[in-house]
Amino acid sequence: MNTCENAVKLLTSKGRFYIELGLDRITKILSIFGNPQDDLKYIHVAGTNGKGSVCAFLESILRTKYKTGLYTSPHIFNYTERIKFNGENIPEEIFADYVFEVCRKADEANIHLTEFEILTVMMFLYFKSQGTEIVILETGLGGRFDATNVIKKNICSVITHIDYDHTERLGNTKDKIAFEKAGIIKPGCPVVTASAMEVIKDRADELNSLFILTSPAVDQYKKVSALKGFHQEENLALALTVIQTFFKEITDDEILTGLRNTVHPFRFEYFPKYNLIVDASHNPNGVEALRINLDYLYGEEKRRFIFGCLKNKDYNKMINILFRPEDEIYFYEFDYPNAAKYEDLKAACPYPCKPFARKLITGGDKLTIVCGSFYMLSSLFKSREELL
């Protein structure tokens, strides 16, 4: 039966739920479906950190004038969050139908697709069916061999902050990682970035693509932005550069409306009801941004941390960046196959720590910071709305 629950079971089954970079499989299956990706317009976003925030800014602003599609990953609560048309999740029944139809056609053609490839094909089909005018397209991993890079051209590419993550797949230097991200640059299509790395500029030059370097001069806009924190200034600057360069018909009032209405759950998000911050900082660079924001905006408050991450992340470095001797520290060994064990996190921590207890989240005597893996956050909360 084509239910959403069964569709998710199929996506997360052992034969689908893994990463295998490459464009051959998705190219073949999209050809069977008539290449819907060729009929859409894109802003393509890659980078280590900030991709989701840039996409959220862009989509919210563009939606003031256009029919928008937003494709992001991972989700927090439901797979349908990854595919949004005009700010609304793809309906569950349509989601399920697409999962089974894509898998059926792929099986008939003997094409074995991964979870992310299935979702990407569905996204192209759904956005075309809805008459989407602008698609904001976030890469899943890397860029050059990411399934989203099957598109042939775009309005522009956007490359956000580059740092170390997924080094086992993308390379162990920033230049190697940047090279993979720069793989989304298309011939003759501009690229917008806050990174002056030579490897990105060289790739743009090779492809005769306009290289646009931005800087975070966004004071008049950050005051109204719904997303807070120092790290958002660079993300906001990237989004504004795209809008002001390629969408001059969008007025300043529409930009301000879009910024006020931007929603990007659990990215340095404060919930006053519980004196709680939730932040999906899942790598050292993200944790460093969290620490800077906490010290500047909440420097006088005593802190309680609840932290959990995947075991393939550099949690030793993350722990040393994040915590101080005076902090109250709890580690959460959440229910996920690749979750870091409590004992391993404890061994890496130079300060006293304890196992997580759920009642800590709503104990407002201190500023509580829940941070780490997306998978951890989804295991702790049923929805964002429960905290509002």
Side-chain angles (χ1 to χ4, degrees):
M1 185 176 179
N2 290 5
T3 66
C4 191
E5 182 180 1
N6 286 336
V8 170
K9 286 180 180 178
L10 177 57
L11 287 170
T12 56
S13 62
K14 188 175 181 180
R16 306 286 185 184
F17 198 61
Y18 64 96
I19 296 170
E20 186 175 350
L21 298 176
L23 300 179
D24 288 346
R25 296 176 302 278
I26 193 165
T27 298
K28 290 176 182 176
I29 188 64
L30 284 169
S31 177
I32 291 171
F33 278 102
N35 289 313
Q37 77 280 7
D38 293 343
D39 298 322
L40 297 164
K41 296 180 180 179
Y42 304 95
I43 299 170
H44 202 182
V45 183
T48 306
N49 288 310
K51 298 191 298 295
S53 295
V54 171
C55 288
F57 282 133
L58 286 170
E59 192 280 331
S60 187
I61 295 169
L62 288 167
R63 194 170 5 117
T64 64
K65 197 172 285 288
Y66 294 100
K67 296 177 183 178
T68 60
L70 177 63
Y71 184 54
T72 58
S73 60
H75 61 278
I76 298 178
F77 303 111
N78 193 306
Y79 265 97
T80 58
E81 298 166 28
R82 298 187 182 210
I83 303 173
K84 294 178 183 287
F85 174 70
N86 275 349
E88 298 294 330
N89 295 355
I90 181 173
E92 288 191 353
E93 62 275 14
I94 296 176
F95 176 88
D97 286 343
Y98 272 127
V99 168
F100 287 102
E101 176 65 5
V102 170
C103 289
R104 182 182 67 80
K105 293 255 188 167
D107 290 344
E108 287 175 355
N110 199 27
I111 303 169
H112 190 79
L113 300 177
T114 67
E115 168 224 27
F116 187 72
E117 289 168 338
I118 295 166
L119 292 166
T120 303
V121 174
M122 292 166 48
M123 172 269 299
F124 289 131
L125 291 167
Y126 180 62
F127 288 157
K128 181 179 178 180
S129 75
Q130 298 301 301
T132 307
E133 294 172 306
I134 306 288
V135 176
I136 300 92
L137 188 63
E138 180 189 11
T139 58
L141 196 158
R144 187 163 62 113
F145 294 120
D146 185 77
T148 62
N149 207 31
V150 73
I151 65 171
K152 297 182 178 69
K153 60 182 180 179
N154 54 44
I155 295 168
C156 68
S157 302
V158 181
I159 299 178
T160 68
H161 187 82
I162 302 293
D163 213 296
Y164 296 101
D165 202 11
H166 300 291
T167 53
E168 73 283 0
R169 294 181 183 273
L170 304 181
N172 57 4
T173 69
K174 287 187 181 181
D175 277 346
K176 290 178 180 177
I177 294 169
F179 176 78
E180 296 298 328
K181 310 291 186 183
I184 70 167
I185 301 174
K186 298 289 181 284
C189 301
V191 56
V192 179
T193 183
S195 172
M197 295 180 71
E198 285 297 322
V199 67
I200 299 175
K201 179 66 166 60
D202 289 346
R203 184 60 178 161
D205 289 343
E206 288 172 17
L207 297 174
N208 195 29
S209 300
L210 179 65
F211 178 85
I212 302 173
L213 186 65
T214 189
S215 59
V218 293
D219 286 348
Q220 71 192 76
Y221 295 101
K222 70 180 182 182
K223 293 175 184 177
V224 304
S225 171
L227 305 186
K228 303 300 182 184
F230 277 117
H231 63 300
Q232 293 295 0
E233 294 185 20
E234 184 175 295
N235 299 329
L236 179 56
L238 286 166
L240 290 173
T241 298
V242 171
I243 297 297
Q244 293 167 345
T245 304
F246 304 105
F247 299 92
K248 295 183 185 296
E249 68 279 10
I250 294 181
T251 67
D252 201 56
D253 283 345
E254 288 167 333
I255 291 173
L256 294 172
T257 297
L259 294 178
R260 290 189 189 99
N261 294 331
T262 301
V263 176
H264 194 33
F266 294 172
R267 274 70 170 188
F268 198 68
E269 189 168 14
Y270 180 67
F271 297 94
K273 182 178 178 180
Y274 300 112
N275 196 23
L276 170 70
I277 289 173
V278 184
D279 189 71
S281 45
H282 57 280
N283 57 35
N285 186 249
V287 162
E288 187 173 17
L290 171 60
R291 183 82 228 183
I292 292 169
N293 288 325
L294 287 171
D295 288 346
Y296 182 76
L297 297 172
Y298 300 92
E300 301 302 316
E301 293 211 41
K302 294 181 179 180
R303 299 170 193 170
R304 173 188 297 116
F305 285 95
I306 299 165
F307 176 81
C309 68
L310 300 182
K311 62 185 177 184
N312 62 336
K313 298 294 182 178
D314 189 353
Y315 55 78
N316 284 278
K317 188 172 183 179
M318 295 164 74
I319 285 169
N320 281 293
I321 291 171
L322 192 57
F323 302 135
R324 300 292 182 269
E326 65 272 17
D327 293 334
E328 190 178 330
I329 302 167
Y330 297 87
F331 291 126
Y332 180 30
E333 183 181 326
F334 51 100
D335 184 18
Y336 187 77
N338 201 32
K341 302 295 184 183
Y342 168 75
E343 292 299 332
D344 293 332
L345 296 173
K346 179 181 178 182
C349 186
Y351 312 120
C353 56
K354 297 178 182 178
F356 163 75
R358 183 167 290 274
K359 64 181 180 180
L360 297 166
I361 294 176
T362 55
D365 56 316
K366 294 182 179 180
L367 176 66
T368 300
I369 303 104
V370 177
C371 56
S373 169
F374 285 98
Y375 299 105
M376 181 194 80
L377 300 181
S378 66
S379 72
L380 282 177
F381 307 108
K382 293 181 180 178
S383 71
R384 172 177 175 266
E385 285 66 32
E386 72 182 87
L387 299 174
L388 295 175

